[in-house]
Amino acid sequence: MTLAPYEICLLSAALLACLALGSLHLRVNLWLFSFQALLIAAATINIGSITGDQELCVIGAVIGLLKALVVPAFLAWISEKLMAQRDMGTFLPAPLSMHLCIVLFVLSFALAKGIPSSEVAGHSWLGVSAGISLLLSGLILMLTRRLAISQVVGFLVIENGIYTFALTQTKGMPLMVEMGILLDLLVAVMVSGLLIFKIQKSFEHIDIAQLSDLRD
């Protein structure tokens, strides 16, 4: 079976999400997320070129700019300002999280096979499985990491999974709708960054495990 370029990109993005769960270094995770977003952007442009949809090519370029460059750079700046270079603790050991993610990555192929095939151009059950895997990886990242920045990265990975699923299962959304979603995502990340600064200033840490121990 010959894989299309966009399928290779999407599966590689899903594998990068698994690798991120094996690392506690924030900068490494941000680099992995950046490459992940870049691969998804490349897949979007490739599908756009296959289908002749110029809007998809534009969306792919914007994803590459915002999610692969601007957002990781902003989060890296926050982590540097807060001197938070490493997630000091997790609710699940990093190696175990990564292996769990790999198991879910394999299971996502079976789940994707059970989803009715779409007739749209660019549909790929491998792409659908990558989307499911990304969504589950982001969920695990959010549930197992303790630093607020890692939680934001997990949310972004979940969004990548939802986008990947929609990209390969539907005809996609209109350009203006997708641009609006990306703008909302950018604003959400910026607001999250400000909240993280506020948490650090108020409690002198950004460990959500300690925040859960607070009482009124």
Side-chain angles (χ1 to χ4, degrees), residues 18-31:
C18 294
L19 290 177
L21 281 161
S23 173
L24 296 178
H25 294 278
L26 291 178
R27 189 167 293 275
V28 171
N29 285 341
L30 289 174
W31 272 107

Side-chain angles (χ1 to χ4, degrees), residues 59 93 96 115 178:
I59 291 171
L96 184 58
I115 296 176
E178 187 62 38

Side-chain angles (χ1 to χ4, degrees), residues 1-161:
M1 180 179 64
T2 303
L3 298 180
Y6 70 88
E7 291 176 324
I8 296 174
C9 288
L10 294 177
L11 290 174
S12 299
L15 287 174
L16 286 179
C18 294
L19 290 177
L21 281 161
S23 173
L24 296 178
H25 294 278
L26 291 178
R27 189 167 293 275
V28 171
N29 285 341
L30 289 174
W31 272 107
L32 289 173
F33 172 77
S34 179
F35 286 129
Q36 178 191 123
L38 196 60
L39 287 168
I40 292 174
T44 303
I45 294 173
N46 182 240
I47 292 176
S49 63
I50 291 173
T51 60
D53 190 341
Q54 297 300 317
E55 289 188 354
L56 274 181
C57 295
V58 174
I59 291 171
V62 175
I63 289 175
L65 175 64
L66 292 182
K67 296 176 73 175
L69 295 176
V70 176
V71 170
F74 177 70
L75 293 177
W77 177 76
I78 290 177
S79 66
E80 183 177 345
K81 288 294 183 181
L82 299 179
M83 294 182 291
Q85 302 300 323
R86 181 182 173 88
D87 207 323
M88 299 306 295
T90 61
F91 298 112
L92 196 66
L96 184 58
S97 298
M98 184 178 69
H99 285 89
L100 175 61
C101 186
I102 292 173
V103 171
L104 293 176
F105 174 75
V106 175
L107 289 177
S108 67
F109 288 92
L111 293 174
K113 278 290 190 180
I115 296 176
S117 177
S118 173
E119 299 299 326
V120 300
H123 167 77
S124 167
W125 72 272
L126 291 176
V128 172
S129 67
I132 295 173
S133 178
L134 282 167
L135 194 154
L136 295 174
S137 298
L139 186 61
I140 294 174
L141 190 60
M142 287 193 71
L143 292 175
T144 59
R145 297 302 167 92
R146 295 175 58 168
L147 286 188
I149 296 177
S150 297
Q151 300 270 312
V152 174
V153 175
F155 166 76
L156 292 171
V157 174
I158 289 176
E159 196 278 333
N160 278 347

